Amino acid sequence: MIRKVFKKKSSGSNKVDAFLEKYNLPKAYLSVNRRMVTRGVAIGLFWAFIPMPMQMLAVIATTPFIRFNVPIAISMVWLSNPFTMPPMYYVEYLTGNFILGREGLDDIELTMQWFTEHFDDILVPLYTGTAFYSIVVSTIVYIVLNRLWVRSVKSEQEETKKTRKKRNSQKKPKN
């Protein structure tokens, strides 16, 4: 079923194909198969959890090292947006404090002066929690998505076999 959602129509005069040829980009970056999609989701989530500017450029910078579906990875990066960043980064900070065995900061103020004064106290726990979530969540999502995709393909194949078997049994003449 998942494959049917992503099934693409091939056409030689496609604008996307012309763009890829013009800039000499591999078509693999737009491939829709299990490996490319699951890698794209995992890489996008990996970069989405990291507090840094221009996460989409980080996804693009990953392309020479790993082949994955780039549009899906970029869309996964958008999970961290101005509305989701504060809770995500706060949970990462708390997790980092837990991993490091620290208490954390009390009396948090949402002012630039407070953040500049406590920047060093925030940075290490934040990036410790970030590393944890980036690696663990993207790995778990990769494994779960891979298994769901395989299960979907197997159930689709079983359904096709049942349909063919039923059709063939109806065609056979009865003696």
Side-chain angles (χ1 to χ4, degrees), residues 18 22-23 33 69 93 99 102 106 114 118 121 128 137 155:
K22 180 179 178 182
Y23 293 104
N33 58 44
N69 188 301
Y93 169 74
I99 290 170
R102 293 185 179 179
D106 293 330
W114 185 89
H118 294 89
D121 298 328
T128 302
V137 171
S155 68

Side-chain angles (χ1 to χ4, degrees), residues 44-58:
L45 281 176
F46 177 84
W47 287 112
F49 280 106
I50 298 175
M52 60 180 273
M54 306 210 194
Q55 294 165 322
M56 292 184 291
L57 291 179

Side-chain angles (χ1 to χ4, degrees), residues 14-15 18 26 48 51 54 56 73 75 99 105 115-116 130 136 148 165 169 171 173-174:
N14 195 352
K15 290 181 180 181
M54 306 210 194
M56 292 184 291
S75 66
I99 290 170
L105 298 173
F115 279 107
T116 54
T130 295
V136 172
L148 286 173
K165 195 173 190 179
S169 66
K171 287 183 180 180
K174 295 181 181 178

Side-chain angles (χ1 to χ4, degrees), residues 20-33:
L20 292 174
E21 287 178 27
K22 180 179 178 182
Y23 293 104
N24 197 22
L25 299 171
K27 288 186 179 185
Y29 294 145
L30 298 176
S31 292
V32 181
N33 58 44

Side-chain angles (χ1 to χ4, degrees), residues 72-105:
I72 288 177
I74 288 175
S75 66
M76 294 308 294
V77 165
W78 293 341
L79 290 176
S80 64
N81 57 58
F83 298 110
T84 60
M85 280 180 186
M88 274 177 57
Y89 297 158
Y90 184 66
V91 169
E92 289 173 354
Y93 169 74
L94 293 177
T95 304
N97 276 327
F98 177 76
I99 290 170
L100 295 172
R102 293 185 179 179
E103 286 292 319
L105 298 173

Side-chain angles (χ1 to χ4, degrees), residues 1 5 25-26 28 37 40 48-49 52 81 86-87 94 110 126 150 154 161 168 170 172 175:
M1 296 301 203
V5 172
L25 299 171
V37 170
F49 280 106
M52 60 180 273
N81 57 58
L94 293 177
L110 296 177
L126 175 65
V150 169
K154 286 182 180 179
K161 283 181 184 179
N168 288 339
Q170 290 175 352
K172 288 184 180 178
N175 291 336

